[in-house]
Amino acid sequence: MEIDLRLESSLWVGKKRYKAVLTGWHFQWTEVDKNNREKKTTSVPVSELIGLEKGQVEILPRKSVEDTDKDFTVFYVKRSSSGGSYGLLWQFGRIQFSCASRALRDQWTSHLRAALKTHSPSRPHRLLVFINPYGGKKKGRHIYHSLVAPLFELAGITSHVIVTERANQARDHLLKKDLSGFDGVVCVGGDGMFSEIMHGMIGRTQQEAGLSENDLNVTLQPCHLHIGIIPAGSTDCVCFATVGVNDPVTSALHIIIGDSQPLDVCSAHHPTEPVRYSVSLLGYGFYGDVLAESERHRWMGPLRYDFSGAMVYLSSRSYAGVVHYLPADPLLSSPRDNTRCLSGCSVCSKSTERLFPHSTVSESVHSFQCSQYRSDRSEAGWVSVAGRFRCVSFTCMSSSCPRSPLGLSPSAHLADGTGDLILVRESHPLGFLKFLHRHTSSEDQFDLPFVEVHRVKAFRFSLPPGEEEDSLEDMESEAARERENQESPQCGMDSETKSRTGSEQQLTDRAKVGYKPRGDWSREKSLFCGPCCTEAPAVSVWNCDGEILPFSEIQGRVHGQLVHLYARGIEDKAACVG
């Protein structure tokens, strides 16, 4: 028997009378003056009610309750503009109502709770929370306990909190421990912490499905547990690109109401190395060199990325390579179509309907992608590009962040089963500087003669014939030289950085040793010759969401909607703020 959730009565806020109406899907209250004329109305979807309590209740900065017979307090989501960001801030709204009688108060609270249970069935009840105490400005614990935990308690969410003490602790926990009873996993940290949890979740899911995630031909099973991100890192790119702001309260509220945003993931494969996963950046050349250089300057903190970027730019390096890619259908979307992947994105929605039309999402993703990728493995339809490149980049999202509001690829989509491959050929240093600068403005960074971008389903990067042997000999000799010179241990590492294998350390150390200049521009003296004008290596390394990959040749494949976040995409300001 369906419960009638509609309720209407007069309520008071202070000395003002309001006409309150619960329709089932919405709860609204309208101020009424002494002449019974209606004034301003506030309407909140039931799905965006955070919770309610009997009595006069305060939550922040600390919870206090005054139990009164005729009062109840409603907590809900309020939106506001976020200044220069493209998303909307979600704030903690609170209103205290007084009723004519205790019976009416009890009627309102029971109806509102029934409406919440009926219209918000996907809300989490128990979460596994990992806090990185060292990421960003080292405020992860404070952010969680002062801003997030009180909201979770109000919403009736219980949390098991683990403060990590070493890199990959969260990943190892997710791979080995019992996760039954949890509705989702929350990371309090930055992009490194998210990547660690993503690797753990994907690996755990494939283990349980009996699949080898290192096999390029295997179609991975989507993860069943959602991932929530409470931003507390240096850049928080993944949070910014999926919510539109880096605000802990906004992200906590998305988790509370059970928002769900599917996310494509790219797997990066090499025959002799474990698979790695990326959502925001797989970068070879400039971005790989910046990450490797930054490892030498960890003592600088987040400033090391700016410093290393300047040093690598001034060195004016380029690298030879061959890129093979499998284009996506250009009729569905294009990286140059000037669209934005916003909440309710039609491209992602149509892709879901087109790719997985007949069964549940997890089953259809697996069956469709498996058959599709078998056909894609043939060389038919693949395109090859060879040359010297300043950088080769791949992203499954816009990769926007506060310093680059439009990101690496402004029109990239979160959940359409594709990624954007960006090729920046060897160019004059001033031309490359223009390309980099356009990431911080609204100018089109792809509108340059040496830049091309392609929407793809898979790609491969290889070294030109003859380069492989030379590069291997260089790496072996450099590794031997480094082993002889190892005198001081690495120090000052924070948990935002992945623990590195011996191979990763070897390639990181390659940035410190000799180079041979190549290419027309690098053969000449740089216009900005200075202390950074060292010889360039024959090969670069890959930057995989902030982790150095210890190989140059790579195969990448997009897995559509492999993970789900507690988010809803970037909300359109014009549609939501009126």
Side-chain angles (χ1 to χ4, degrees), residues 375-487:
S375 63
D376 290 345
R377 289 289 292 164
S378 67
E379 291 301 315
W382 285 75
V383 179
S384 298
V385 180
R388 296 194 64 83
F389 302 97
R390 288 278 191 154
C391 61
V392 175
S393 306
F394 184 84
T395 181
C396 291
M397 56 172 60
S398 68
S399 296
S400 57
C401 66
R403 299 184 65 175
S404 179
L406 296 180
L408 288 176
S409 187
S411 295
H413 289 274
L414 296 173
D416 67 342
T418 71
D420 288 353
L421 179 66
I422 305 164
L423 308 178
V424 182
R425 294 181 180 272
E426 189 174 45
S427 62
H428 192 282
L430 292 178
F432 187 58
L433 181 61
K434 180 184 290 187
F435 167 75
L436 294 175
H437 181 264
R438 287 188 177 184
H439 287 79
T440 66
S441 68
S442 59
E443 289 187 86
D444 184 0
Q445 62 260 44
F446 303 139
D447 188 22
L448 294 167
F450 54 88
V451 180
E452 54 187 278
V453 59
H454 308 279
R455 186 146 292 170
V456 307
K457 294 183 284 185
F459 75 98
R460 301 194 300 268
F461 180 87
S462 59
L463 300 175
E467 290 278 352
E468 299 92 332
E469 293 80 4
D470 295 341
S471 300
L472 182 59
E473 291 176 1
D474 290 345
M475 290 170 63
E476 290 175 346
S477 63
E478 290 164 9
R481 201 180 325 165
E482 286 302 313
R483 282 195 294 271
E484 294 176 0
N485 295 328
Q486 281 180 352
E487 296 178 353

Side-chain angles (χ1 to χ4, degrees), residues 521-573:
W521 293 109
S522 56
R523 288 192 186 103
E524 302 174 3
K525 276 281 189 179
S526 171
L527 292 175
F528 308 96
C529 189
C532 59
C533 295
T534 57
E535 294 179 309
V539 296
S540 180
V541 295
W542 284 91
N543 179 340
C544 179
D545 288 0
E547 177 187 2
I548 295 175
L549 301 191
F551 41 83
S552 295
E553 297 194 332
I554 195 174
Q555 296 186 71
R557 174 188 175 187
V558 180
H559 300 265
Q561 304 184 10
L562 189 60
V563 299
H564 283 72
L565 306 184
Y566 284 119
R568 65 171 59 177
I570 299 175
E571 292 186 296
D572 187 352
K573 287 185 177 182

Side-chain angles (χ1 to χ4, degrees), residues 202 205-213 215-224 351-352 354-376 557-564:
I202 296 174
T205 303
Q206 310 324 307
Q207 285 180 9
E208 294 178 346
L211 300 175
S212 172
E213 58 181 328
D215 187 346
L216 179 64
N217 299 312
V218 167
T219 296
L220 304 180
Q221 288 280 6
C223 302
H224 299 294
S351 295
T352 303
R354 173 179 54 83
L355 299 178
F356 328 122
H358 300 304
S359 59
T360 64
V361 172
S362 60
E363 293 173 348
S364 55
V365 168
H366 179 77
S367 60
F368 174 82
Q369 291 187 351
C370 188
S371 61
Q372 182 195 45
Y373 193 68
R374 288 197 188 101
S375 63
D376 290 345
R557 174 188 175 187
V558 180
H559 300 265
Q561 304 184 10
L562 189 60
V563 299
H564 283 72

Side-chain angles (χ1 to χ4, degrees), residues 148-356:
V148 178
L151 298 180
F152 282 179
E153 181 183 356
L154 172 66
I157 296 174
T158 58
S159 303
H160 178 64
V161 179
I162 298 175
V163 179
T164 59
E165 299 175 349
R166 59 175 176 84
N168 288 321
Q169 179 181 345
R171 183 202 64 183
D172 295 343
H173 185 101
L174 293 171
L175 287 172
K176 300 173 183 177
K177 300 297 183 178
D178 181 17
L179 302 180
S180 60
F182 291 109
D183 300 309
V185 180
V186 174
C187 65
V188 184
D191 294 325
M193 189 66 171
F194 168 77
S195 179
E196 186 177 325
I197 286 178
M198 178 179 68
H199 277 76
M201 289 298 303
I202 296 174
R204 174 64 173 262
T205 303
Q206 310 324 307
Q207 285 180 9
E208 294 178 346
L211 300 175
S212 172
E213 58 181 328
N214 292 308
D215 187 346
L216 179 64
N217 299 312
V218 167
T219 296
L220 304 180
Q221 288 280 6
C223 302
H224 299 294
L225 293 181
H226 279 58
I227 302 175
I229 307 173
I230 302 297
S234 300
T235 56
D236 302 304
C237 172
V238 178
C239 181
F240 194 92
T242 55
V243 178
V245 295
N246 287 338
D247 177 64
V249 171
T250 299
S251 295
L253 295 178
H254 279 290
I255 295 170
I256 287 171
I257 69 174
D259 269 339
S260 181
Q261 172 62 55
L263 190 64
D264 299 334
V265 178
C266 177
S267 59
H269 297 264
H270 186 274
T272 63
E273 295 289 337
V275 66
R276 306 300 206 283
Y277 299 106
S278 170
V279 293
S280 61
L281 172 66
L282 266 173
Y284 181 83
F286 178 79
Y287 296 110
D289 290 349
V290 169
L291 183 60
E293 178 71 16
S294 72
E295 290 299 305
R296 301 173 56 193
H297 309 287
R298 298 197 61 83
W299 58 272
M300 298 178 67
L303 288 176
R304 67 186 182 272
Y305 298 113
D306 292 334
F307 176 81
S308 300
M311 293 298 99
V312 172
Y313 165 74
L314 292 174
S315 66
S316 194
R317 302 170 187 169
S318 65
Y319 301 94
V322 181
V323 182
H324 307 266
Y325 63 88
L326 183 65
D329 188 345
L331 298 179
L332 299 177
S333 65
S334 164
R336 300 294 303 277
D337 59 14
N338 294 321
T339 63
R340 293 280 288 168
C341 185
L342 300 175
S343 180
C345 172
S346 61
V347 172
C348 295
S349 298
K350 290 177 181 177
S351 295
T352 303
E353 296 169 1
R354 173 179 54 83
L355 299 178
F356 328 122

Side-chain angles (χ1 to χ4, degrees), residues 67-88:
D67 189 10
T68 52
D69 288 344
K70 301 179 181 179
D71 298 332
F72 68 97
T73 306
V74 175
F75 304 92
Y76 61 99
V77 172
K78 291 173 62 177
R79 291 172 172 82
S80 66
S81 177
S82 54
S85 299
Y86 280 82
L88 291 171

